Amino acid sequence: MEDPLGLRPLKEITLTERIVDPEDVPWVPYTDTIWVKPLRLNRKTGQWTNITKVVGGGQINRHYHVNGVVGFVLEGSWYYVEKDWVARKGMMVWEPPGDIHTLMSGEEGTVTLFQLEGALLYVDEDDQVVGFDDVLNHTRVYHDYCRSQGTRPLDLDY
């Protein structure tokens, strides 16, 4: 068979796909109202993907994104206190780098798939950094939680 683009040799050096079943990943508590299921924690690129659950009326404190974020609402709804729209089930949201906002869940709560790259900086009302989250911190929290539960964390670094 002809290979005009020369793709066959590339197959030998291509990484294999990764399949992650969210049912195999525990809900990791972050606060009383926020839990996450990490699905990808790539320490080389800084990319991290998780399913985030926020119970009714819960919030993710005011934060700044160093890079863009994509969110896809799986259940419920959420909105940003600083904006005039609501993200509902089935909607995709793109957040630009540099955006500062406070995520509030609807009364019914929300479950959203988020894909992030780089850091998320928690800021106070004067825009001073008071905390952060990134792929390394997310990995540590996931591993610590699994150890505390007597389970082995999945290798999500891909």
Side-chain angles (χ1 to χ4, degrees), residues 28-116:
V28 179
Y30 260 59
T31 70
D32 290 344
T33 60
I34 302 168
W35 291 266
V36 298
K37 277 186 183 252
L39 302 178
R40 183 178 191 203
L41 299 167
N42 189 316
R43 294 178 297 156
K44 290 180 183 150
T45 65
Q47 295 174 331
W48 40 308
T49 302
N50 64 59
I51 299 173
T52 300
K53 176 169 51 174
V54 184
V55 298
Q59 77 174 35
I60 297 177
N61 290 337
R62 191 166 185 264
H63 57 278
Y64 168 95
H65 290 285
V66 173
N67 291 310
V69 175
V70 174
F72 184 78
V73 184
L74 302 169
E75 297 176 16
S77 66
W78 55 267
Y79 60 95
Y80 290 135
V81 172
E82 301 83 0
K83 311 289 183 178
D84 64 355
W85 51 262
V86 176
R88 293 184 173 80
K89 180 179 178 176
M91 292 179 148
M92 188 196 92
V93 175
W94 176 72
E95 304 171 12
D99 202 29
I100 297 177
H101 46 249
T102 308
L103 186 150
M104 295 289 296
S105 74
E107 286 303 315
E108 74 281 18
T110 189
V111 177
T112 301
L113 175 70
F114 284 109
Q115 294 182 309
L116 306 95

Side-chain angles (χ1 to χ4, degrees), residues 2-41:
E2 194 175 328
D3 186 16
L5 298 178
L7 298 179
R8 277 198 200 91
L10 297 178
K11 186 175 179 181
E12 295 173 14
I13 61 171
T14 300
L15 297 173
T16 59
E17 64 277 354
R18 294 290 292 269
I19 307 296
V20 178
D21 184 345
E23 294 298 319
D24 295 336
V25 181
W27 283 109
V28 179
Y30 260 59
T31 70
D32 290 344
T33 60
I34 302 168
W35 291 266
V36 298
K37 277 186 183 252
L39 302 178
R40 183 178 191 203
L41 299 167

